[in-house]
């Protein structure tokens, strides 16, 4: 199978999500990623549930190796890390500003040891500026970047969905690392790649800012569903179906046929795209009772036949057991010390090939002997 980063060695000192996510993305592409953890406790995510191997930890740590080093308190461990830095291509950390230096793993020191090292430095709000010392987690970064308000129902405010801010920051970090590695092939010198959760989420939220900067429009939680003409309806059996009707007009014509309302588009609230956007709630009020008269399976078949953009709203169990995931071999397995590990494969194909092998997330210190001869 294609492993384009084979031969690249990464030292991943990240904890929780942002750093580990960046490391996992590189590992999925074939890099050797060595997770450097504190002795006995390891990545704090390990202890969130079940014997230092929580599902939280498992999510972003597949295809890695694990060693235990305390670089702050143990000179021997720091010496061991320094030896690894000499052979490494990438170092990743997501500590708050100043912590890396206290652990003796700051960028300046490590790049003095290895000038070719690409050093990835992830923070919450940057290494300078008025918020640099604030602790940052996913919800904080979503809120600070203006993204969270686009998800929160004003009548029932609460955080929803996965840790988007954490994961997105990991993706942007990996993106920066790959660019620095490419540049290094020409210059022979590494870079310090800095990513903050605030800046990553602000860029991820680019559409929101573009509307403000170009048209002085401040978007809210209903802006996108209105503009994109997106809807979620409950069916007779309690299942849900989602529609995305932004373009072209034929989708609306097909929907009118699907719901048995051939004259629907002649109603004032349906007659044009601006009308549907302006009368979003009236459109919902018209369609919701119709969708509620039939079970979800009926609508899936009906909407598919008429090529209306839609999907049932599935649970993770339903996705994994469904025909689409089965066809695309979405779930892959690997054997580890705790038995079979199952996960969702990397979505990238090279020349049509799927990477369907995976190494389970490592036990704490599992590779001490292999890498440290301990």
């Amino acid at each position: 199978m294609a492993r384009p980063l084979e031969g690249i060695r990464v030292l991943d000192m990240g904890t929780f999500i942002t750093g580990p996510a960046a490391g996992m993305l590189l590992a999925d592409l074939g890099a050797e990623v060595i997770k450097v953890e504190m002795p006995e406790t390891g990545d704090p995510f390990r202890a969130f549930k079940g014997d230092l191997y929580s599902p939280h930890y498992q999510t972003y740590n597949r295809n890695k190796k694990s060693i235990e080093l305390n670089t702050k308190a143990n000179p021997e461990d720091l010496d061991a890390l320094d030896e690894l830095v000499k052979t490494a291509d990438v170092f990743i950390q997501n500590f708050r500003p100043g912590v890396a230096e206290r652990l003796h793993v700051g960028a300046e020191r490590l790049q003095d040891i290895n000038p070719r090292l690409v050093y990835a430095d992830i923070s919450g709000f940057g290494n300078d500026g008025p918020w640099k010392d604030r602790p940052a987690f996913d919800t904080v970064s979503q809120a600070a970047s203006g993204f969270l308000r686009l998800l929160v129902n004003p009548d029932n405010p609460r955080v929803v969905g996965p840790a988007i801010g954490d994961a997105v920051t990991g993706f942007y970090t990996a993106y920066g690392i790959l660019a620095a590695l490419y540049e290094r092939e020409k210059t022979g010198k590494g870079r310090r790649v800095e990513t903050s959760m605030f800046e990553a989420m602000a860029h991820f939220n680019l559409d929101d800012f573009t509307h403000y900067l170009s048209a002085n429009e401040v978007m809210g939680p209903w802006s996108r569903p209105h503009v994109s003409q997106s809807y979620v309806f409950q069916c007779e059996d309690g299942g849900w179906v989602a529609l995305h009707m932004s373009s072209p007009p034929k989708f609306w014509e097909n929907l009118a046929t699907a719901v048995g309302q051939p004259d629907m588009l002649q109603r004032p609230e349906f007659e044009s795209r601006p009308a549907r956007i302006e009368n979003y709630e009236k459109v919902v009020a018209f369609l919701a009772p119709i969708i509620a008269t039939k079970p979800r399976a009926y609508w899936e078949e009906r909407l598919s036949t008429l090529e209306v953009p839609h999907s049932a709203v599935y649970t993770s169990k339903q996705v994994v057991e469904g025909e689409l995931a089965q066809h695309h071999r979405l779930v892959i397995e690997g054997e580890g010390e705790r038995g079979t590990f199952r996960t969702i494969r990397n979505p990238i194909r090279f020349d049509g090939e799927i990477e369907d092998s995976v190494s389970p997330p490592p036990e704490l210190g599992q590779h001490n002997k292999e890498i440290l001869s301990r």
Side-chain angles (χ1 to χ4, degrees), residues 19-292:
M24 184 193 74
L25 291 169
L26 302 178
D28 282 355
L29 297 178
E32 179 193 25
V33 178
I34 301 170
K35 189 172 177 67
V36 182
E37 304 187 71
M38 283 293 292
E40 299 183 7
T41 57
D43 185 336
F45 238 19
R46 284 182 174 272
F48 270 42
K49 184 178 181 181
D51 193 26
L52 298 185
Y53 208 73
S54 72
H56 309 79
Y57 159 75
Q58 292 181 47
T59 301
Y60 294 104
N61 287 288
R62 67 191 184 200
N63 292 326
K64 299 181 183 181
K65 301 175 180 179
S66 170
I67 60 173
E68 297 169 282
L69 293 176
N70 185 340
T71 60
K72 181 179 181 181
N74 190 327
E76 182 181 343
D77 284 2
L78 182 58
D79 289 342
L81 179 78
D82 289 351
E83 289 302 310
L84 288 173
V85 168
K86 293 176 183 178
T87 66
D89 299 284
V90 179
F91 184 91
I92 300 172
Q93 59 89 354
N94 62 325
F95 303 121
R96 289 170 67 177
V99 172
E101 285 71 22
R102 292 198 290 275
L103 296 176
H104 310 296
V105 295
E108 184 176 353
R109 181 178 176 279
L110 297 192
Q111 288 182 319
D112 280 344
I113 295 172
N114 179 1
R116 289 176 54 83
L117 185 70
V118 173
Y119 185 100
D121 181 350
I122 306 170
S123 63
F125 298 104
N127 288 307
D128 53 29
W131 288 22
K132 73 180 182 67
D133 294 322
R134 284 197 187 190
F137 288 93
D138 174 69
T139 304
V140 176
S141 70
Q142 287 191 39
S145 65
F147 182 76
L148 185 62
R149 83 185 191 290
L150 302 179
L151 303 182
V152 171
N153 182 338
D155 297 326
N156 188 21
R158 63 189 62 197
V159 177
V160 298
I164 298 171
D166 284 316
V168 163
T169 304
F171 273 77
Y172 278 115
T173 301
Y175 163 76
I177 289 169
L178 292 175
L181 286 172
Y182 176 75
E183 182 192 47
R184 192 188 67 175
E185 292 303 301
K186 296 179 287 184
T187 66
K189 187 175 180 180
R191 285 274 193 186
R192 181 175 180 177
V193 178
E194 294 182 72
T195 320
S196 78
M197 296 176 70
F198 168 69
E199 291 165 289
M201 280 306 298
H203 189 273
F204 183 70
N205 194 26
L206 187 58
D207 181 59
D208 179 23
F209 288 108
T210 302
H211 278 76
Y212 171 67
L213 295 172
S214 67
N216 202 33
E217 177 186 350
V218 177
M219 299 177 73
W222 312 130
S223 297
R224 182 172 181 270
H226 286 204
V227 171
S228 64
Q229 299 169 80
S230 302
Y231 310 90
V232 182
F233 296 113
Q234 189 166 30
C235 306
E236 182 187 39
D237 56 359
W240 296 83
V241 63
L243 309 178
H244 190 114
M245 306 293 294
S246 57
S247 60
K250 72 171 186 177
F251 292 141
W252 279 101
E253 295 163 5
N254 293 351
L255 178 62
T257 301
V259 299
Q261 299 288 329
D263 299 329
M264 182 177 78
L265 300 187
Q266 296 175 19
R267 298 173 64 92
E269 66 268 33
F270 284 93
E271 65 181 0
S272 66
R273 181 176 183 270
R276 293 189 292 269
I277 294 172
E278 181 69 24
N279 297 285
Y280 185 89
E281 298 302 333
K282 290 183 179 180
V283 171
V284 170
F286 181 85
L287 290 172
I290 298 173
I291 302 298

